[in-house]
Amino acid sequence: MGVYDTRALPIYQYLHSAGHPAYAIADNFFQAAFGGSFLNHQWLIAAATPVWPGAVANGGSDDLHSVLDANGVPTSYPLYVSPAGTAVKDLALTASCASTSDRSRDRRVSLTGVACGDYAVNTIQPAYQPYAPGTATSRRLPPQTAPTIGDRLSAGGVDWAWYSGGWSNANGDVGAPGWSNGTGPLAANAGSMSPCPDAAALAAAVWPNCPDKLFQFHHQAFNYFAAYAPGTQARAEHLRDEREFLDLARASAGACNLRPVSFVKPIGAENEHPGYASETAGSNHLVQLLQAIEAGACKADTMVVVTYDEFGGQWDHVPPPGQGGTPGPHDAWGPGTRVPALVLAPALRGPFVVDHSQYDTTSIMATIERRFGLSAIGSRDAAVNDLSRVLDAPAPAATP
């Protein structure tokens, strides 16, 4: 980002064109948790870290607990090398709190302030399809039962959906919006060819689950929860394909057809992730989504929040709440590093606003809860600022 000319991005050009929508930049917005994409997607919908009750902790191949060095670090980086002779492991779960029967593989944590136990913090596959083909049951996170913002919305009678790019193909929803794999599997193929007709499907796909090669299984946060298991009405109603969202938005010329709350998760090729996606493709897709809303009747009373699941780098000059003396809601899990956040709404206090209010990912949940009169899920979303501050002048920030 230090060498990327952001003025060349489609989203920059869109927001600086004549008649652009009012927007706010939140420059003090942090990822909810110290972690990557999986963990921050979980915090987006549940404001909590997932757990694996009674996870294997015997040091064997199915033991997914991390192993930390004397400094509490699970791996080596170019700028940090674990002490000599240290066998660290950066795995899906936090370090175990209990010892194993084999003292040479003792994974207990004795460091003050380091989380331990059966918490899932790194990328792990869900128990339900869609998951990465071939992932053994012993390495898939058991279904979660903690409350989510989806549960709160449904209990409050507020319609909502999680719209994911490529969901119909990955979930095997034959003929649903976004489906691109015909009416049946291809004949048996030699080699590693997929039985799914769409050439973009994973080679290891098993019909009718035909995930795109860049479908991100660990980004599908609700698919980790028992309330949205395959075969449930909640899954059918609320876990939908992004194509459906675009169709609804574009059909809203006369009246708004969007649900009161929509989560939109682009497919991998359009999510701006380094390594497998492009900035321009993701930015073009974002503009496409915004234009669909702006062109319809939903524009009049819709707030759009655009943000990212995590920072992905190793340093930022603004310490998150709870670190470096920065005040603000925090706990053992975060917040982590700052991430970009863009808010579009018809009632902003100006055509362009830079909002210095402190937020984290759970501020999105807090905004939904306070807008629809729902109870908070956890202590973090109960304490953070909600995004209505972009609509009204906030109190001056305290001087650090």
Side-chain angles (χ1 to χ4, degrees):
M1 295 301 291
V3 297
Y4 197 102
D5 184 357
T6 54
R7 294 171 297 179
L9 285 174
I11 183 61
Y12 182 97
Q13 295 172 0
Y14 175 65
L15 293 176
H16 289 78
S17 62
H20 69 78
Y23 68 98
I25 298 293
D27 67 353
N28 204 25
F29 192 111
F30 299 86
Q31 63 188 62
F34 292 109
S37 297
F38 164 75
L39 186 57
N40 279 288
H41 277 82
Q42 293 293 318
W43 273 78
L44 170 67
I45 69 162
T49 298
V51 295
W52 186 326
V56 173
N58 61 8
S61 60
D62 287 333
D63 185 347
L64 301 181
H65 292 89
S66 297
V67 178
L68 313 180
D69 64 20
N71 297 316
V73 180
T75 188
S76 294
Y77 294 96
L79 299 179
Y80 174 81
V81 178
S82 294
T86 302
V88 295
K89 290 188 178 181
D90 192 10
L91 300 178
L93 306 183
T94 49
S96 175
C97 297
S99 63
T100 69
S101 57
D102 182 350
R103 296 297 297 178
S104 68
R105 295 186 293 186
D106 194 340
R107 294 178 168 211
R108 288 179 298 176
V109 170
S110 59
L111 299 169
T112 302
V114 173
C116 67
D118 299 332
Y119 295 99
V121 291
N122 286 334
T123 299
I124 190 169
Q125 297 297 306
Y128 307 131
Q129 284 279 14
Y131 55 79
T135 306
T137 302
S138 61
R139 304 182 76 83
R140 305 204 306 262
L141 186 67
Q144 300 295 291
T145 57
T148 67
I149 189 61
D151 302 334
R152 289 285 195 270
L153 287 165
S154 294
V158 181
D159 197 11
W160 65 279
W162 175 277
Y163 296 102
S164 181
W167 176 257
S168 289
N169 285 331
N171 196 47
D173 296 335
V174 180
W179 175 260
S180 63
N181 280 281
T183 58
L186 296 175
N189 291 290
S192 60
M193 292 180 63
S194 170
C196 302
D198 191 332
L202 275 172
V206 178
W207 176 273
N209 297 95
C210 295
D212 183 273
K213 292 182 178 73
L214 291 180
F215 184 82
Q216 304 300 305
F217 303 97
H218 61 293
H219 290 182
Q220 314 307 317
F222 286 104
N223 191 41
Y224 287 82
F225 287 80
Y228 306 96
T232 61
Q233 183 177 353
R235 184 186 185 90
E237 289 181 355
H238 301 299
L239 305 192
R240 310 295 298 173
D241 195 278
E242 187 191 39
R243 171 53 54 184
E244 183 175 294
F245 175 85
L246 276 166
D247 290 345
L248 290 171
R250 288 166 176 165
S252 297
C256 183
N257 294 309
L258 294 178
R259 305 191 196 203
V261 176
S262 299
F263 297 92
V264 181
K265 181 68 197 181
I267 200 167
E270 297 170 334
N271 73 4
E272 300 181 51
H273 194 288
Y276 62 76
S278 105
E279 274 291 328
T280 302
S283 190
N284 268 322
H285 185 66
L286 172 57
V287 171
Q288 179 186 37
L289 290 167
L290 295 178
Q291 286 176 329
I293 298 169
E294 283 285 315
C298 301
K299 170 184 177 180
D301 57 1
T302 296
M303 172 185 277
V304 180
V305 182
V306 182
T307 190
Y308 297 79
D309 52 16
E310 46 119 339
F311 169 63
Q314 297 187 12
W315 183 82
D316 181 61
H317 71 281
V318 177
Q323 304 294 317
T326 303
H330 64 278
D331 50 43
W333 305 107
T337 316
R338 284 191 307 169
V339 291
L342 168 70
V343 182
L344 295 89
L348 289 179
R349 55 180 189 269
F352 168 62
V353 175
V354 178
D355 185 4
H356 304 305
S357 303
Q358 186 185 91
Y359 303 110
D360 72 38
T361 308
T362 63
S363 293
I364 299 172
M365 182 184 297
T367 305
I368 296 170
E369 291 165 347
R370 295 165 198 175
R371 163 64 181 84
F372 294 104
L374 310 175
S375 58
I377 288 178
S379 59
R380 185 88 72 77
D381 55 311
V384 295
N385 292 320
D386 66 64
L387 292 161
S388 66
R389 293 167 73 91
V390 302
L391 309 177
D392 305 303
T399 302

